[in-house]
Amino acid sequence: MALDVKLLYFLNNFAGKSQTFDTLTVFLASYLQYFLVAAFLLFLYFSRHSRREKFHIFWITTISVIVARLGITEIIRFFYHRPRPFIAYQVHQLIPENAWSFPSGHSAFFFAMAMAVYLYNKKWGMGFFIAAILMNISRIIAGVHYPSDILGGMIIGALTAYSIFYFAEKEYNLK
């Protein structure tokens, strides 16, 4: 059995044992995303950047998450169809999902957001990374992703945000 499936079973084995744990897992996997978007807006509001810099941060982050989630992730899913773990294996499925499993769209989106925030503010960025990790591990526990789906989305999101930041800063500093 592949390491990916072994890790899936190890993490998914925590599901179905405690109603409290399952509720927390569902919250982290399905609803934490809304709090992260709100936290991003709070970060912009309370940051000490100028209005122009806040606008710049907003657009770098927005472009990063759109390219990572709706661009790169969907292109990969168009060519590579990996079924969700609950379709291929006997696992505890805590949340409904459809579409293909690899790469994780949640992972691509929220790691792009975390990286973009981190590039402007290390402290807030670390908080976003921790939240993205918790969310995505919960999606494995919930039986809707393999660990490699999360890793793939994480790499896509982080590299996309870093690339967009790098090229935008290069352009921004030339003017």
Side-chain angles (χ1 to χ4, degrees), residues 114-140:
M115 177 60 85
V117 171
Y118 180 82
L119 292 168
Y120 290 102
N121 184 301
K122 306 290 186 244
K123 184 178 174 183
W124 277 77
M126 287 307 295
F128 275 87
F129 273 119
I130 291 167
I133 289 167
L134 288 172
M135 174 196 304
N136 285 289
I137 288 174
S138 295
R139 295 183 67 76
I140 299 168

Side-chain angles (χ1 to χ4, degrees), residues 101-121:
S101 183
F102 182 86
S104 166
H106 279 80
S107 186
F109 186 102
F110 288 101
F111 278 102
M113 179 184 281
M115 177 60 85
V117 171
Y118 180 82
L119 292 168
Y120 290 102
N121 184 301

Side-chain angles (χ1 to χ4, degrees), residues 1 19 22 29-30 39 44-45 52 60 88 97 114 118 122 145:
M1 188 181 308
Q19 183 64 37
D22 288 354
S30 297
L44 285 178
Y45 182 77
R52 182 178 175 165
I60 293 298
E97 279 293 339
Y118 180 82
K122 306 290 186 244
H145 278 296

Side-chain angles (χ1 to χ4, degrees), residues 69 74 77 82-84 86-87 97-101:
R69 173 61 183 97
E74 291 305 317
R77 286 181 176 181
R82 184 180 197 184
R84 299 261 178 193
F86 60 83
I87 294 171
E97 279 293 339
N98 53 18
W100 303 112
S101 183

